[in-house]
Amino acid sequence: QSVLTQPPSVSAAPGQKVTISCSGSSSNIGKNYVCWYQQLPGTAPKLLIYENNKRPSGIHDRFSGSKSGTSATLGITGLQTGDEADYYCGSWDASLSAYFFGTGTKVTVL
Amino acid sequence: EVQVVESGGGLVQPGGSLRLSCVASGFTFSSYWMSWVRQAPGKGLEWVANIKQDGNEIFYVDSVKGRFTISRDNTENSLYLQMNSLRAEDTAVYYCVRVGCSSGCYSDVWGQGTTVTVSS
């Protein structure tokens, strides 16, 4: 099981904002960068945020990331039906010498 | 176009073996760490293994240590995952992933996945 904990689901109406938390520990998030991945239904995951708050080329600025201590947060503003997906955080754990994805959060647009 | 393409998945009996392959194109394969990530049916993502550019540094998730071997051939732009002593819980879609690194490292290029089913 993962050492990174996310809420199972979040939801909001179109145009609204959602935030997804990712809780870890001092050996992973507290010490290393956090990434966020989006997995649309039936597709491979896609990198959404890297190094806590940077967006790869082509990722809209509606998506944002932040980190504080041993937790990280993904924010999605201006929610669209196309944002319905599973979202995963990820970070390296220095104590376990292993990479962990979060438990995953399903975003639903009401 | 930067891409990675997996192959080699299939149906195998418990205790059997399978070798997954991944061919990279559109980037300098030998300059990147590479990973395998899997996803069991209806479940979340699970990192399986990482391999450094020259193959001299490798990491595995505990559940596959001693059973799986990640390797690469930079002359063929290829990544491999040799899976032995397969168990039902290894059933998953296996993704080949490029790992980009600047200040930190991140999985920035994903393949479409290849499905491994372990069942009698």
Side-chain angles (χ1 to χ4, degrees):
Chain A
Q1 65 226 42
S2 182
V3 300
L4 304 180
T5 302
Q6 301 178 229
S9 63
V10 297
S11 60
Q16 297 301 302
K17 174 181 180 178
V18 295
T19 60
I20 300 171
S21 60
C22 176
S23 178
S25 69
S26 58
S27 62
N28 41 69
I29 293 177
K31 189 170 293 190
N32 293 295
Y33 287 104
V34 176
C35 295
W36 289 92
Y37 303 90
Q38 177 194 59
Q39 188 175 31
L40 296 168
T43 70
K46 178 174 73 173
L47 179 66
L48 210 57
I49 297 288
Y50 67 101
E51 291 176 6
N52 302 334
N53 54 21
K54 297 179 182 177
R55 287 184 305 276
S57 173
I59 300 300
H60 202 281
D61 61 4
R62 297 188 300 106
F63 297 92
S64 63
S66 64
K67 185 182 106 168
S68 178
T70 59
S71 294
T73 301
L74 173 71
I76 311 174
T77 59
L79 204 59
Q80 302 175 0
T81 55
D83 297 331
E84 287 200 330
D86 293 321
Y87 293 82
Y88 297 90
C89 59
S91 185
W92 182 259
D93 190 293
S95 295
L96 299 173
S97 292
Y99 191 87
F100 288 92
F101 292 98
T103 49
T105 299
K106 184 176 184 61
V107 169
T108 301
V109 181
L110 301 173
Chain B
E1 180 189 4
V2 173
Q3 64 176 354
V4 292
V5 179
E6 307 93 336
S7 61
L11 174 63
V12 61
Q13 292 187 339
S17 298
L18 210 56
R19 189 195 198 206
L20 305 183
S21 300
C22 167
V23 177
S25 59
F27 64 97
T28 305
F29 179 74
S30 59
S31 297
Y32 289 86
W33 281 78
M34 296 295 295
S35 285
W36 287 99
V37 174
R38 67 184 179 182
Q39 187 169 35
K43 303 296 185 182
L45 302 174
E46 180 182 41
W47 168 80
V48 174
N50 276 1
I51 185 168
K52 196 177 178 181
Q53 291 90 330
D54 59 7
N56 287 338
E57 204 165 342
I58 289 173
F59 300 95
Y60 295 100
V61 67
D62 281 349
S63 59
V64 309
K65 286 179 182 176
R67 300 189 300 123
F68 289 13
T69 302
I70 187 173
S71 63
R72 64 191 297 161
D73 183 340
N74 288 341
T75 64
E76 298 288 338
N77 292 338
S78 293
L79 178 73
Y80 304 101
L81 186 67
Q82 177 66 44
M83 304 185 295
N84 298 331
S85 302
L86 282 161
R87 307 166 180 168
E89 54 264 36
D90 296 317
T91 294
V93 174
Y94 284 73
Y95 294 102
C96 170
V97 184
R98 186 182 85 168
V99 180
C101 294
S102 50
S103 299
C105 293
Y106 39 87
S107 304
D108 64 348
V109 178
W110 295 67
Q112 83 289 348
T114 188
T115 300
V116 173
T117 303
V118 184
S119 174
S120 55

